[in-house]
Amino acid sequence: MGVTIHDVARAAGVSVASASRALSGRRKVTPEIAERVARAAAELGYQPNAVAKALRDQTTGTIGMVVPGIGNPFFTTIVEAVERELQNSGTDLLLCASQYSPQVEARRLETLLARRVDGLIISPCDIEASVPAVLDAARRVPLVQLDRYIEGGGADWVGVDDEAGLALAVDHVIAGGARSVVFAGSRLVSSSARLRLSGFERAAARAGVEVLPPLLGEFTLEWGIEAGRGLLDAGRLPDAVVCANDEIAVGLVRSLRFGGARVPEDVAVVGFDDVGHATMCDPPLSTVRQPVEEMAAEAVRLLGQLKAGDPRPAQRIAIAPRLVVRQTSRPVAAGVEG
Amino acid sequence: MGVTIHDVARAAGVSVASASRALSGRRKVTPEIAERVARAAAELGYQPNAVAKALRDQTTGTIGMVVPGIGNPFFTTIVEAVERELQNSGTDLLLCASQYSPQVEARRLETLLARRVDGLIISPCDIEASVPAVLDAARRVPLVQLDRYIEGGGADWVGVDDEAGLALAVDHVIAGGARSVVFAGSRLVSSSARLRLSGFERAAARAGVEVLPPLLGEFTLEWGIEAGRGLLDAGRLPDAVVCANDEIAVGLVRSLRFGGARVPEDVAVVGFDDVGHATMCDPPLSTVRQPVEEMAAEAVRLLGQLKAGDPRPAQRIAIAPRLVVRQTSRPVAAGVEG
DNA sequence: ATGAAAGCGCTAACAG
DNA sequence: CTGTTAGCGCTTTCAT
């Protein structure tokens, strides 16, 4: 079916070696040959076979990326950022979703490795169950973890500084007058879930406010709605609820208001991520913005370093987030934005 | 770096052919050899090189998919559906986003083709500008268009029956008492944009209601908000607005209510797609549900047929959508659902 | 500057 | 049933 470089060479009346050299331009050929080869290639509609090139070169020009799910806007945002980052490096992205299952995650890694990707960017779905597959992959190929990471180190990581982010959120609601606070997050199955809870607890303890027992479910709108209902049913509302992501926060605001509570007058709500949902929410959500572009850039940079062979201990890079005050929390003087 | 089948063969004390046969299990070998090979492979951590296999077999076991953008929940939903559909066929998906640009779309197709995908599923971003690249790709490899399609035919397509969907929406609001209607959609740069507008116009004309000039922008929340403002500023509200997708509808509802109009009492709003956003909306959005699973299944089936070589004229498969009545339109007796 | 040939890892003919 | 070998398409020595 395909037209090969042999066909081009024959049509141009030169050897395949010359054709190869002319096409790649990486080596000198007479202008005349270059011309003839170029014409032949164009006429035949020659298209280089990347598979053969990959086998020969032992490098595919692709990097694999696996995230828990592309239904979550945070992950699609970060995927887009990585794609943009890779844009001009001639590297293609092979994107996979693990669907929040360590089994399919392991399978995905396996096929990515079999396809000989030059590197891997992964947000492991489970802090424990993902360990073997991720470590194994890291042994075979440059790998950096983005956002979520696995226990025990051994592989590079770049993500947001959750601790700092939660401190930002907690201090903000307290500055707005909150005396009792609660955390609405996810069960502690990922690093993000754990770090955000502990960051919240630390900040709240430091401030000396009352802390209600955390509400732990999923990183979803549905769970946010449920958590809001739970709060209403409990009879007494906290002054503020800090959420582990925006989807939870949006759901929470919805059910709180549906139940008659005013946001932010009766209870302040702050989210985390600031991708998409936050501005869509009514009223617009105060949240902690993850520095997605920087995270993606850093991950790609790290991957490049690893590829270069540069041996060094595993790195962890935590990038500082930023508070974005909108309308679900009481403003404190300056800093309000749309 | 990698351990090859030669290493395995040597370690097992057999020829590469036997090793290959034992590993693939596609041909008889003595149990003893099978055993020895299996052990050697396990001990060495052998992992087959898919690149070499692809070159040898002239088939990669991958299909490429290109959609305008993964930021749009409709496309992520359909990508997930296609992934699920492919799950058990041993075929991997190479996902690309064209970012709504015919240029990057063409480039993406080019590299997918260079990587020798076995087939292509594409939602062309532009009904006109996407034509050459898509047609060229279709000439080289089995290709089916999903959702959007290009002008002029020549390639298979599966999508929703837009005409029927818009008729459903229009008839519904009219049954609810609407006497004047308007369409809020996208500029006519894609097949979906065009078909939905014409479907709306036809259904409205058939019903004999008053039709205001259509509002055409983007398939985004922002445009929905703007369109809603425009409607308010115009002084007189229509009884119903039918939207080309849910994001527009959500934005529209938001700005209409913000401007003091009651939904659905003053104006009914109906969306299109029913993925994610619709239930998140407050109040929950009445909409036309795209049969995403069926569309994905059909696309994969068609692709399989094409691969089988089965020559036949290009097919267009339009699947009937379903109306989902929630709370942004007045119900008509039965059929309300969550 | 150009051409002949080796070889990337794999599988399927083809012999034995 | 097993082993030897050719060849998928490409790039790069190695000679010329």
Side-chain angles (χ1 to χ4, degrees), chain A residues 45 47-52 54-55 60-62 70-71 76 79-80 83 87 92 95 97 107-108 110-111 113-116 140 221 254 277 279-282, chain B residues 45 47-52 54-55 60-62 70-71 76 79-80 83 87 92 95 97 107-108 110-111 113-116 140 221 254 277 279-282:
Chain A
Q47 194 201 28
N49 183 326
V51 174
L55 179 60
T60 53
T62 57
I70 54 171
T76 71
V79 165
E80 287 177 324
E83 243 178 353
Q87 195 109 15
D92 287 350
L95 179 62
R107 223 167 37 230
R108 273 15 197 105
E110 201 61 28
T111 81
L113 254 14
R115 294 196 191 289
R116 295 299 190 266
R140 297 171 180 269
L221 183 88
R254 167 97 47 88
H277 282 318
T279 51
M280 276 198 43
C281 181
D282 183 25
Chain B
Q47 197 202 27
N49 183 325
V51 175
L55 180 58
T60 54
T62 57
I70 55 171
T76 73
V79 165
E80 288 178 324
E83 244 179 352
Q87 193 108 12
D92 287 349
L95 179 61
R107 218 161 48 225
R108 276 8 200 107
E110 201 62 27
T111 82
L113 254 14
R115 294 195 190 289
R116 296 301 192 264
R140 296 171 181 269
L221 184 88
R254 168 98 46 89
H277 282 318
T279 51
M280 279 197 42
C281 181
D282 183 26

Side-chain angles (χ1 to χ4, degrees), chain B residues 102-136:
Chain B
Q103 285 79 36
V104 345
E105 183 176 74
R107 218 161 48 225
R108 276 8 200 107
L109 282 172
E110 201 62 27
T111 82
L112 252 12
L113 254 14
R115 294 195 190 289
R116 296 301 192 264
V117 291
D118 297 335
L120 237 20
I121 294 181
I122 181 174
S123 195
C125 60
D126 191 298
I127 192 166
E128 284 164 7
S130 293
V131 171
V134 171
L135 250 29
D136 187 60

Side-chain angles (χ1 to χ4, degrees), chain B residues 131-166:
Chain B
V131 171
V134 171
L135 250 29
D136 187 60
R139 215 168 292 122
R140 296 171 181 269
V141 78
L143 177 152
V144 1
Q145 299 177 96
L146 185 52
D147 183 51
R148 300 183 176 195
Y149 60 76
I150 54 166
E151 241 169 6
D156 284 18
W157 171 79
V158 10
V160 70
D161 187 337
D162 283 305
E163 180 91 18
L166 270 295

Side-chain angles (χ1 to χ4, degrees), chain A residues 6-71:
Chain A
H6 284 91
D7 303 323
V8 174
R10 191 175 323 117
V14 299
S15 72
V16 288
S18 290
S20 175
R21 295 194 262 254
L23 258 5
S24 75
R26 303 168 50 79
R27 232 168 177 74
K28 281 204 127 56
V29 285
T30 20
E32 205 221 303
I33 289 194
E35 170 59 23
R36 287 219 308 271
V37 170
R39 178 170 6 260
E43 274 174 9
L44 298 177
Y46 170 70
Q47 194 201 28
N49 183 326
V51 174
K53 180 172 166 46
L55 179 60
R56 156 77 218 204
D57 294 352
Q58 298 290 75
T59 169
T60 53
T62 57
I63 80 130
M65 180 162 186
V66 8
V67 295
I70 54 171

Side-chain angles (χ1 to χ4, degrees), chain A:
Chain A
M1 51 153 266
V3 15
T4 78
I5 201 170
H6 284 91
D7 303 323
V8 174
R10 191 175 323 117
V14 299
S15 72
V16 288
S18 290
S20 175
R21 295 194 262 254
L23 258 5
S24 75
R26 303 168 50 79
R27 232 168 177 74
K28 281 204 127 56
V29 285
T30 20
E32 205 221 303
I33 289 194
E35 170 59 23
R36 287 219 308 271
V37 170
R39 178 170 6 260
E43 274 174 9
L44 298 177
Y46 170 70
Q47 194 201 28
N49 183 326
V51 174
K53 180 172 166 46
L55 179 60
R56 156 77 218 204
D57 294 352
Q58 298 290 75
T59 169
T60 53
T62 57
I63 80 130
M65 180 162 186
V66 8
V67 295
I70 54 171
N72 182 325
F74 171 72
F75 290 118
T76 71
T77 304
I78 206 155
V79 165
E80 287 177 324
V82 168
E83 243 178 353
R84 259 192 306 278
E85 202 58 39
L86 253 25
Q87 195 109 15
N88 304 318
S89 71
T91 308
D92 287 350
L93 194 65
L94 268 46
L95 179 62
C96 296
S98 65
Q99 298 157 212
Y100 300 88
S101 149
Q103 285 79 37
V104 343
E105 183 177 74
R107 223 167 37 230
R108 273 15 197 105
L109 282 173
E110 201 61 28
T111 81
L112 251 12
L113 254 14
R115 294 196 191 289
R116 295 299 190 266
V117 291
D118 298 334
L120 237 20
I121 294 180
I122 180 172
S123 196
C125 60
D126 190 298
I127 191 168
E128 285 163 8
S130 293
V131 171
V134 171
L135 250 30
D136 187 63
R139 214 168 293 122
R140 297 171 180 269
V141 79
L143 176 151
V144 1
Q145 300 176 94
L146 185 51
D147 183 52
R148 300 184 177 194
Y149 61 76
I150 55 167
E151 243 170 0
D156 284 18
W157 171 77
V158 11
V160 70
D161 187 337
D162 284 305
E163 181 90 17
L166 270 295
L168 244 29
V170 170
D171 293 350
H172 168 62
V173 295
I174 289 176
R179 306 299 308 152
S180 60
V181 296
V182 64
F183 178 77
S186 144
R187 278 175 295 104
L188 307 176
V189 72
S190 68
S191 58
S192 304
R194 296 189 183 184
L195 258 29
R196 288 177 200 169
L197 174 58
S198 67
F200 167 82
E201 287 174 337
R202 194 138 17 192
R206 196 184 326 113
V209 294
E210 181 187 6
V211 179
L212 276 51
L215 307 166
L216 269 22
E218 314 278 331
F219 278 118
T220 61
L221 183 88
E222 289 69 28
W223 165 241
I225 292 177
E226 202 178 320
R229 273 199 216 108
L231 243 26
L232 289 163
D233 291 347
R236 175 184 160 233
L237 249 29
D239 296 333
V241 15
V242 173
C243 304
N245 81 347
D246 288 344
E247 302 200 68
I248 296 175
V250 171
L252 196 81
V253 169
R254 167 97 47 88
S255 64
L256 250 25
R257 302 179 92 203
F258 185 80
R262 290 170 310 161
V263 177
E265 294 83 356
D266 299 330
V267 43
V269 176
V270 179
F272 202 98
D273 282 353
D274 198 30
V275 296
H277 282 318
T279 51
M280 276 198 43
C281 181
D282 183 25
L285 186 69
S286 292
T287 190
V288 176
R289 172 176 305 178
Q290 291 219 43
V292 172
E293 296 291 338
E294 291 92 319
M295 286 161 53
E298 205 54 36
V300 169
R301 195 187 58 78
L302 234 48
L303 205 54
Q305 255 183 242
L306 282 168
K307 281 198 233 177
D310 181 16
R312 44 155 194 51
Q315 301 194 9
R316 319 196 131 239
I317 301 181
I319 305 179
R322 204 178 107 225
L323 182 70
V324 180
V325 178
R326 295 205 182 85
Q327 298 170 32
T328 56
S329 61
R330 286 180 218 92
V332 256
V336 182
E337 96 171 45

